[in-house]
Amino acid sequence: MPIIAPSILTADFLHLERDCGMLDKSRADWFHLDVMDGRFVPNISFGMSVIKQIRKTSDKFFDVHLMILEPEKYVDEFKDAGANNLTVHFEACPHLHRNIQQIKSLGMSAGVAINPATPVLMLQDIIKDIDVALVMSVNPGFGGQSFIPQSIQKIKELRTLINNSGSSSKIEVDGGVSLKNAAELIKAGADVLVTGNAVFSASDPANIIAQLKAL
Ligand code: DX5
Ligand code: ZN
């Protein structure tokens, strides 16, 4: 069964407690928390103080997706805010191996995300060190964008890389995921489905989550 990780980026921020409570009671496995700095990506979202508040609403696994430059400056603070996994971007980290070791040394799992234009091959030398490999299926920065179809091929390539290397990394896919493409993504090798708009624009979000979980 896939791991379902709704992104609260598209939640109603005036009613965050209500929406997070809904996720907590739903069949969602992880909370996906998108942190944006207005530098690595052309948008600013929220940071550790908001995550700390959200932590009060659920004991579920907090998957924090850092779309920021210099993530090493904030790793401790995200840990304190309640993160269970920190995913950094390949494109933002010249010292990626060091970043991964830092995250793991604090007892969190570590992920690396690749943008749509970054080849899967770039993960070859780090794949055995990471817990999550995240394929961005939109350009990071905003919820509600259209899924980029070539991402399916990248998931297949990543599945082959992981199998051949003996890595136990999960494959996460993020951006434009919905009931329309989820089955194909799982078939291609995805373990974790991030969904923002598809869940929060629905009249019954918990029902969409349950349907995704049943795939
Ligand atoms: C985009 C974020 C995604 C986003 C997904 O930069 O990383 O997690 O919230 O939202 P949807 O599912 O609407 O594309
Ligand atoms: Zn994300």
Side-chain angles (χ1 to χ4, degrees):
M1 271 203 277
I3 291 170
I4 307 302
S7 163
I8 64 121
L9 188 65
T10 351
D12 180 349
F13 276 63
L14 257 189
H15 300 98
L16 207 44
E17 187 173 11
R18 179 199 67 194
D19 283 4
C20 292
M22 177 279 295
L23 289 185
D24 184 55
K25 285 190 214 76
S26 78
R27 295 195 67 201
D29 301 280
W30 294 2
F31 280 43
H32 183 84
L33 300 141
D34 289 302
V35 177
M36 304 180 184
D37 66 354
R39 296 174 70 214
F40 177 63
V41 288
N43 194 9
I44 297 176
S45 58
F46 52 81
M48 37 291 230
S49 59
V50 171
I51 294 174
K52 202 170 202 156
Q53 297 305 315
I54 296 174
R55 184 80 272 184
K56 295 175 188 166
T57 70
S58 180
D59 291 325
K60 288 190 179 182
F61 188 91
F62 273 23
D63 172 34
V64 177
H65 178 190
L66 296 179
M67 286 160 274
I68 65 174
L69 300 178
E70 302 179 324
E72 63 277 6
K73 288 185 178 170
Y74 311 104
V75 166
D76 289 276
E77 287 175 75
F78 282 112
K79 164 79 182 171
D80 291 345
N84 300 105
N85 176 75
L86 283 189
T87 290
V88 296
H89 264 263
F90 170 83
E91 302 83 5
C93 296
H95 302 290
L96 186 59
H97 185 271
R98 180 183 291 151
N99 300 135
I100 296 304
Q101 302 310 320
Q102 181 194 15
I103 293 166
K104 295 207 292 192
S105 74
L106 292 173
M108 293 177 283
S109 68
V112 175
I114 52 170
N115 279 340
T118 302
V120 164
L121 193 59
M122 294 300 168
L123 295 178
Q124 184 173 272
D125 290 355
I126 197 82
I127 197 74
K128 284 178 89 169
D129 295 293
I130 65 179
D131 304 288
V132 176
L134 192 165
V135 173
M136 284 306 306
S137 42
V138 297
N139 286 294
F142 303 93
Q145 302 182 79
S146 300
F147 180 83
I148 297 173
Q150 295 93 300
S151 313
I152 305 237
Q153 182 56 31
K154 289 177 82 173
I155 293 168
K156 289 180 184 166
E157 287 173 24
L158 192 49
R159 178 48 64 203
T160 303
L161 176 65
I162 288 171
N163 290 350
N164 291 347
S165 66
S167 161
S168 54
S169 175
K170 290 184 170 56
I171 298 177
E172 183 170 13
V173 56
D174 183 5
V177 175
S178 70
L179 277 168
K180 283 197 188 116
N181 55 20
E184 196 177 1
L185 296 170
I186 295 165
K187 195 167 158 240
D191 303 296
V192 186
L193 304 178
V194 177
T195 49
N197 198 51
V199 163
F200 285 103
S201 69
S203 56
D204 185 355
N207 179 262
I208 302 292
I209 293 167
Q211 287 189 58
L212 288 165
K213 187 68 189 168
L215 287 173

